[in-house]
Amino acid sequence: MNERDLELIRDYLDDRIKPKGLERLNRLLETDSDARAEFRAMATLEEGLRDLSIASEVPFTDRATPVAEHEPQRRAGRWYRVEHIGIAALFVVCVSLAILLLRKADHEDEWGDAIARIKFLSEDAAFEPEHQLPNAEGSLLGKGWVQLERGRVRILFRSGATVEAEGPAALGIDTPMRAYLDFGKVMVHAPESGRDFVVATESMEVVDLGTRFEVSVDPQSRESNVSVIEGLVDLHLGSHGTERMIRPLEAGYAARVDTSGKIIEITNGSGTRPTSETDDARILAHWTFDELSADGKVQDATGSQLGGILRAGKAPDLVPGVSGQALVFTDNASVDLSEHVSTLAQLDAFTFAAWVRDPDEPLAVLFSLSGDSEQHRLQFHLSRGFVRFGWQDGLHYDSISGGVDGWKSGQWYHVAVAVEGGVVRLYRDGELLASGSMGAKIGTPVSNPSSVKNATYAYIGRLEDGRQGDEIAHQWFEGQMDDVQLHSGAVSQEGIRFMFEHPGNRWSPGESLK
């Protein structure tokens, strides 16, 4: 720690810190384990000295002054005990200070100015000729490059994070909380003391949120791969000098990122399905749009009686779809499901899937559930470059997006969203586009239908965006839609792929792809 950081802590303990200084101190304590240890030590000492000061302010009895006859003799004994309490407090403070100083000295002796230490070298480990840092097991490392030709090296950072590199690899040692991978592969474990540890590459920074993860960089293509083994990471995407976008990545998934910071694909990186992705989802409603009744009813083909009411300025057209007929959404057409709000609002997890063609609205809303104001809602919608799930909880709106290459005219696409346990997954044509447990903007906890307060409206193809006095703003879907399915629970990626490869068929656990 430098003297400026120590002065911040002193200012805080002396109650003279300014707002900007307090903000800087908070950031320092969040990111620097040494600063946290120093803060605890100084705060302990300050508390002990304060106790000693209070004890010393008690007016000890002067033994040369005779005790008044009406004073009980035991009073002198009480002052005697107080005096000894003060001495004992001083002794405790001195011992505590000695222990803290010894520990600090031991810590400084152990690390000195080092950032990291080599904890393990495999028998076949060999370093490149240009490697300049110490290369023996137990060596302390300062800022510089670890250039591994072959084998494995495990490095313990001062923050507590462990990074194991597999050769050939070039790993930059930057700070106790940051490393840079030029090429090769590293495995990272960051305990609580190393939370927010960063592995940077040319196109992104992987920020730990209490996890185990792997990062690799191809030396030829310069593409990066991230695979999360436990917990969650934030991907800060974008090359140096560009605006960065934050994308969460959860356990069991992997992301491939190009040199500009664009996600090429997100896949199930561990080879096993994440624990939060279940096969317990059950079909709740299936709107095929194969026919429309004279009274405007849109039938639910499952027999669950979750049919909707067609709201449109004029009778909409039916056209050939991916399976049977498809509904053309024009002139503000929508399917009103509001009479089933009480059923929908009980869902803690759900999956909404549909086939779409020619979506042509800035926000083409596929499904929405909302309260009687814009402050509580969720919505699944499309835009020109994204498939997106958004939610409003109070004053905060947030969303998770999956990037797409647009929508070709006349082509049918299958899109889906699955939400369960605070995790969102977005799909197009059976492939996972994005997943995460917080939004890219402000991290508002993900809403599911049961968390929408005062749920009042539910629509296919429409969102009541809020009430301004007596007026209600709307968003719509313009285009064609077919084979819409709603499931209770999160359908697995296998199930989403089944729906894509078998239009018109319903997924149920136990189905197998052909």
mmCIF file with all atom_site columns, all heavy atoms in Angstrom, residues 451-464:
data_model
loop_
_atom_site.group_PDB
_atom_site.id
_atom_site.type_symbol
_atom_site.label_atom_id
_atom_site.label_alt_id
_atom_site.label_comp_id
_atom_site.label_asym_id
_atom_site.label_entity_id
_atom_site.label_seq_id
_atom_site.pdbx_PDB_ins_code
_atom_site.Cartn_x
_atom_site.Cartn_y
_atom_site.Cartn_z
_atom_site.occupancy
_atom_site.B_iso_or_equiv
_atom_site.pdbx_formal_charge
_atom_site.auth_seq_id
_atom_site.auth_comp_id
_atom_site.auth_asym_id
_atom_site.auth_atom_id
_atom_site.pdbx_PDB_model_num
ATOM 1   N N   . SER A 1 451 ? -43.101 -12.561 -10.318 1.00 0.00 ? 451 SER A N   1
ATOM 2   C CA  . SER A 1 451 ? -42.562 -11.375 -9.645  1.00 0.00 ? 451 SER A CA  1
ATOM 3   C C   . SER A 1 451 ? -43.089 -10.071 -10.227 1.00 0.00 ? 451 SER A C   1
ATOM 4   O O   . SER A 1 451 ? -42.706 -8.998  -9.768  1.00 0.00 ? 451 SER A O   1
ATOM 5   C CB  . SER A 1 451 ? -41.025 -11.393 -9.693  1.00 0.00 ? 451 SER A CB  1
ATOM 6   O OG  . SER A 1 451 ? -40.565 -11.372 -11.026 1.00 0.00 ? 451 SER A OG  1
ATOM 7   N N   . VAL A 1 452 ? -43.943 -10.138 -11.253 1.00 0.00 ? 452 VAL A N   1
ATOM 8   C CA  . VAL A 1 452 ? -44.559 -8.924  -11.801 1.00 0.00 ? 452 VAL A CA  1
ATOM 9   C C   . VAL A 1 452 ? -45.697 -8.499  -10.875 1.00 0.00 ? 452 VAL A C   1
ATOM 10  O O   . VAL A 1 452 ? -46.688 -9.215  -10.714 1.00 0.00 ? 452 VAL A O   1
ATOM 11  C CB  . VAL A 1 452 ? -45.096 -9.171  -13.226 1.00 0.00 ? 452 VAL A CB  1
ATOM 12  C CG1 . VAL A 1 452 ? -45.840 -7.931  -13.732 1.00 0.00 ? 452 VAL A CG1 1
ATOM 13  C CG2 . VAL A 1 452 ? -43.950 -9.522  -14.169 1.00 0.00 ? 452 VAL A CG2 1
ATOM 14  N N   . LYS A 1 453 ? -45.532 -7.345  -10.256 1.00 0.00 ? 453 LYS A N   1
ATOM 15  C CA  . LYS A 1 453 ? -46.522 -6.888  -9.277  1.00 0.00 ? 453 LYS A CA  1
ATOM 16  C C   . LYS A 1 453 ? -47.801 -6.414  -9.978  1.00 0.00 ? 453 LYS A C   1
ATOM 17  O O   . LYS A 1 453 ? -47.749 -5.777  -11.031 1.00 0.00 ? 453 LYS A O   1
ATOM 18  C CB  . LYS A 1 453 ? -45.933 -5.760  -8.434  1.00 0.00 ? 453 LYS A CB  1
ATOM 19  C CG  . LYS A 1 453 ? -44.760 -6.196  -7.575  1.00 0.00 ? 453 LYS A CG  1
ATOM 20  C CD  . LYS A 1 453 ? -44.222 -5.045  -6.752  1.00 0.00 ? 453 LYS A CD  1
ATOM 21  C CE  . LYS A 1 453 ? -43.054 -5.489  -5.897  1.00 0.00 ? 453 LYS A CE  1
ATOM 22  N NZ  . LYS A 1 453 ? -42.478 -4.363  -5.107  1.00 0.00 ? 453 LYS A NZ  1
ATOM 23  N N   . ASN A 1 454 ? -48.937 -6.742  -9.368  1.00 0.00 ? 454 ASN A N   1
ATOM 24  C CA  . ASN A 1 454 ? -50.239 -6.311  -9.883  1.00 0.00 ? 454 ASN A CA  1
ATOM 25  C C   . ASN A 1 454 ? -50.425 -6.665  -11.356 1.00 0.00 ? 454 ASN A C   1
ATOM 26  O O   . ASN A 1 454 ? -50.886 -5.841  -12.161 1.00 0.00 ? 454 ASN A O   1
ATOM 27  C CB  . ASN A 1 454 ? -50.415 -4.800  -9.692  1.00 0.00 ? 454 ASN A CB  1
ATOM 28  C CG  . ASN A 1 454 ? -50.286 -4.387  -8.239  1.00 0.00 ? 454 ASN A CG  1
ATOM 29  O OD1 . ASN A 1 454 ? -50.807 -5.044  -7.351  1.00 0.00 ? 454 ASN A OD1 1
ATOM 30  N ND2 . ASN A 1 454 ? -49.572 -3.294  -8.001  1.00 0.00 ? 454 ASN A ND2 1
ATOM 31  N N   . ALA A 1 455 ? -50.042 -7.895  -11.720 1.00 0.00 ? 455 ALA A N   1
ATOM 32  C CA  . ALA A 1 455 ? -50.157 -8.314  -13.125 1.00 0.00 ? 455 ALA A CA  1
ATOM 33  C C   . ALA A 1 455 ? -51.596 -8.139  -13.605 1.00 0.00 ? 455 ALA A C   1
ATOM 34  O O   . ALA A 1 455 ? -52.546 -8.612  -12.982 1.00 0.00 ? 455 ALA A O   1
ATOM 35  C CB  . ALA A 1 455 ? -49.719 -9.765  -13.263 1.00 0.00 ? 455 ALA A CB  1
ATOM 36  N N   . THR A 1 456 ? -51.746 -7.441  -14.726 1.00 0.00 ? 456 THR A N   1
ATOM 37  C CA  . THR A 1 456 ? -53.064 -7.071  -15.245 1.00 0.00 ? 456 THR A CA  1
ATOM 38  C C   . THR A 1 456 ? -53.249 -7.470  -16.700 1.00 0.00 ? 456 THR A C   1
ATOM 39  O O   . THR A 1 456 ? -54.340 -7.889  -17.099 1.00 0.00 ? 456 THR A O   1
ATOM 40  C CB  . THR A 1 456 ? -53.263 -5.545  -15.113 1.00 0.00 ? 456 THR A CB  1
ATOM 41  O OG1 . THR A 1 456 ? -53.015 -5.153  -13.757 1.00 0.00 ? 456 THR A OG1 1
ATOM 42  C CG2 . THR A 1 456 ? -54.673 -5.139  -15.511 1.00 0.00 ? 456 THR A CG2 1
ATOM 43  N N   . TYR A 1 457 ? -52.202 -7.330  -17.514 1.00 0.00 ? 457 TYR A N   1
ATOM 44  C CA  . TYR A 1 457 ? -52.305 -7.555  -18.946 1.00 0.00 ? 457 TYR A CA  1
ATOM 45  C C   . TYR A 1 457 ? -51.334 -8.648  -19.387 1.00 0.00 ? 457 TYR A C   1
ATOM 46  O O   . TYR A 1 457 ? -50.209 -8.736  -18.887 1.00 0.00 ? 457 TYR A O   1
ATOM 47  C CB  . TYR A 1 457 ? -51.973 -6.276  -19.726 1.00 0.00 ? 457 TYR A CB  1
ATOM 48  C CG  . TYR A 1 457 ? -52.799 -5.081  -19.324 1.00 0.00 ? 457 TYR A CG  1
ATOM 49  C CD1 . TYR A 1 457 ? -52.262 -4.062  -18.538 1.00 0.00 ? 457 TYR A CD1 1
ATOM 50  C CD2 . TYR A 1 457 ? -54.125 -4.967  -19.738 1.00 0.00 ? 457 TYR A CD2 1
ATOM 51  C CE1 . TYR A 1 457 ? -53.018 -2.965  -18.170 1.00 0.00 ? 457 TYR A CE1 1
ATOM 52  C CE2 . TYR A 1 457 ? -54.892 -3.863  -19.376 1.00 0.00 ? 457 TYR A CE2 1
ATOM 53  C CZ  . TYR A 1 457 ? -54.336 -2.868  -18.588 1.00 0.00 ? 457 TYR A CZ  1
ATOM 54  O OH  . TYR A 1 457 ? -55.097 -1.789  -18.224 1.00 0.00 ? 457 TYR A OH  1
ATOM 55  N N   . ALA A 1 458 ? -51.762 -9.451  -20.351 1.00 0.00 ? 458 ALA A N   1
ATOM 56  C CA  . ALA A 1 458 ? -50.890 -10.434 -20.988 1.00 0.00 ? 458 ALA A CA  1
ATOM 57  C C   . ALA A 1 458 ? -51.269 -10.505 -22.463 1.00 0.00 ? 458 ALA A C   1
ATOM 58  O O   . ALA A 1 458 ? -52.460 -10.604 -22.805 1.00 0.00 ? 458 ALA A O   1
ATOM 59  C CB  . ALA A 1 458 ? -51.046 -11.810 -20.332 1.00 0.00 ? 458 ALA A CB  1
ATOM 60  N N   . TYR A 1 459 ? -50.267 -10.431 -23.344 1.00 0.00 ? 459 TYR A N   1
ATOM 61  C CA  . TYR A 1 459 ? -50.536 -10.391 -24.778 1.00 0.00 ? 459 TYR A CA  1
ATOM 62  C C   . TYR A 1 459 ? -49.509 -11.207 -25.559 1.00 0.00 ? 459 TYR A C   1
ATOM 63  O O   . TYR A 1 459 ? -48.341 -11.313 -25.151 1.00 0.00 ? 459 TYR A O   1
ATOM 64  C CB  . TYR A 1 459 ? -50.471 -8.950  -25.316 1.00 0.00 ? 459 TYR A CB  1
ATOM 65  C CG  . TYR A 1 459 ? -51.607 -8.063  -24.899 1.00 0.00 ? 459 TYR A CG  1
ATOM 66  C CD1 . TYR A 1 459 ? -51.456 -7.165  -23.846 1.00 0.00 ? 459 TYR A CD1 1
ATOM 67  C CD2 . TYR A 1 459 ? -52.835 -8.104  -25.570 1.00 0.00 ? 459 TYR A CD2 1
ATOM 68  C CE1 . TYR A 1 459 ? -52.503 -6.338  -23.459 1.00 0.00 ? 459 TYR A CE1 1
ATOM 69  C CE2 . TYR A 1 459 ? -53.882 -7.267  -25.186 1.00 0.00 ? 459 TYR A CE2 1
ATOM 70  C CZ  . TYR A 1 459 ? -53.712 -6.394  -24.133 1.00 0.00 ? 459 TYR A CZ  1
ATOM 71  O OH  . TYR A 1 459 ? -54.746 -5.575  -23.756 1.00 0.00 ? 459 TYR A OH  1
ATOM 72  N N   . ILE A 1 460 ? -49.932 -11.704 -26.696 1.00 0.00 ? 460 ILE A N   1
ATOM 73  C CA  . ILE A 1 460 ? -49.045 -12.136 -27.766 1.00 0.00 ? 460 ILE A CA  1
ATOM 74  C C   . ILE A 1 460 ? -49.077 -11.042 -28.824 1.00 0.00 ? 460 ILE A C   1
ATOM 75  O O   . ILE A 1 460 ? -50.149 -10.658 -29.292 1.00 0.00 ? 460 ILE A O   1
ATOM 76  C CB  . ILE A 1 460 ? -49.505 -13.471 -28.392 1.00 0.00 ? 460 ILE A CB  1
ATOM 77  C CG1 . ILE A 1 460 ? -49.445 -14.597 -27.353 1.00 0.00 ? 460 ILE A CG1 1
ATOM 78  C CG2 . ILE A 1 460 ? -48.639 -13.832 -29.591 1.00 0.00 ? 460 ILE A CG2 1
ATOM 79  C CD1 . ILE A 1 460 ? -50.066 -15.898 -27.841 1.00 0.00 ? 460 ILE A CD1 1
ATOM 80  N N   . GLY A 1 461 ? -47.915 -10.499 -29.132 1.00 0.00 ? 461 GLY A N   1
ATOM 81  C CA  . GLY A 1 461 ? -47.846 -9.472  -30.174 1.00 0.00 ? 461 GLY A CA  1
ATOM 82  C C   . GLY A 1 461 ? -48.089 -8.063  -29.711 1.00 0.00 ? 461 GLY A C   1
ATOM 83  O O   . GLY A 1 461 ? -48.269 -7.167  -30.556 1.00 0.00 ? 461 GLY A O   1
ATOM 84  N N   . ARG A 1 462 ? -48.044 -7.801  -28.403 1.00 0.00 ? 462 ARG A N   1
ATOM 85  C CA  . ARG A 1 462 ? -48.360 -6.447  -27.930 1.00 0.00 ? 462 ARG A CA  1
ATOM 86  C C   . ARG A 1 462 ? -47.838 -6.246  -26.509 1.00 0.00 ? 462 ARG A C   1
ATOM 87  O O   . ARG A 1 462 ? -47.757 -7.188  -25.723 1.00 0.00 ? 462 ARG A O   1
ATOM 88  C CB  . ARG A 1 462 ? -49.865 -6.234  -27.955 1.00 0.00 ? 462 ARG A CB  1
ATOM 89  C CG  . ARG A 1 462 ? -50.385 -4.959  -27.302 1.00 0.00 ? 462 ARG A CG  1
ATOM 90  C CD  . ARG A 1 462 ? -51.889 -4.931  -27.459 1.00 0.00 ? 462 ARG A CD  1
ATOM 91  N NE  . ARG A 1 462 ? -52.534 -3.894  -26.674 1.00 0.00 ? 462 ARG A NE  1
ATOM 92  C CZ  . ARG A 1 462 ? -53.849 -3.698  -26.616 1.00 0.00 ? 462 ARG A CZ  1
ATOM 93  N NH1 . ARG A 1 462 ? -54.657 -4.490  -27.322 1.00 0.00 ? 462 ARG A NH1 1
ATOM 94  N NH2 . ARG A 1 462 ? -54.376 -2.745  -25.883 1.00 0.00 ? 462 ARG A NH2 1
ATOM 95  N N   . LEU A 1 463 ? -47.489 -5.009  -26.199 1.00 0.00 ? 463 LEU A N   1
ATOM 96  C CA  . LEU A 1 463 ? -47.115 -4.611  -24.836 1.00 0.00 ? 463 LEU A CA  1
ATOM 97  C C   . LEU A 1 463 ? -47.808 -3.308  -24.499 1.00 0.00 ? 463 LEU A C   1
ATOM 98  O O   . LEU A 1 463 ? -47.724 -2.330  -25.259 1.00 0.00 ? 463 LEU A O   1
ATOM 99  C CB  . LEU A 1 463 ? -45.600 -4.417  -24.713 1.00 0.00 ? 463 LEU A CB  1
ATOM 100 C CG  . LEU A 1 463 ? -45.119 -3.725  -23.427 1.00 0.00 ? 463 LEU A CG  1
ATOM 101 C CD1 . LEU A 1 463 ? -45.343 -4.631  -22.221 1.00 0.00 ? 463 LEU A CD1 1
ATOM 102 C CD2 . LEU A 1 463 ? -43.658 -3.320  -23.530 1.00 0.00 ? 463 LEU A CD2 1
ATOM 103 N N   . GLU A 1 464 ? -48.519 -3.303  -23.380 1.00 0.00 ? 464 GLU A N   1
ATOM 104 C CA  . GLU A 1 464 ? -49.043 -2.038  -22.851 1.00 0.00 ? 464 GLU A CA  1
ATOM 105 C C   . GLU A 1 464 ? -47.912 -1.413  -22.055 1.00 0.00 ? 464 GLU A C   1
ATOM 106 O O   . GLU A 1 464 ? -47.575 -1.850  -20.957 1.00 0.00 ? 464 GLU A O   1
ATOM 107 C CB  . GLU A 1 464 ? -50.270 -2.294  -21.978 1.00 0.00 ? 464 GLU A CB  1
ATOM 108 C CG  . GLU A 1 464 ? -51.394 -2.971  -22.738 1.00 0.00 ? 464 GLU A CG  1
ATOM 109 C CD  . GLU A 1 464 ? -52.756 -2.420  -22.356 1.00 0.00 ? 464 GLU A CD  1
ATOM 110 O OE1 . GLU A 1 464 ? -52.812 -1.459  -21.584 1.00 0.00 ? 464 GLU A OE1 1
ATOM 111 O OE2 . GLU A 1 464 ? -53.754 -2.952  -22.859 1.00 0.00 ? 464 GLU A OE2 1
#
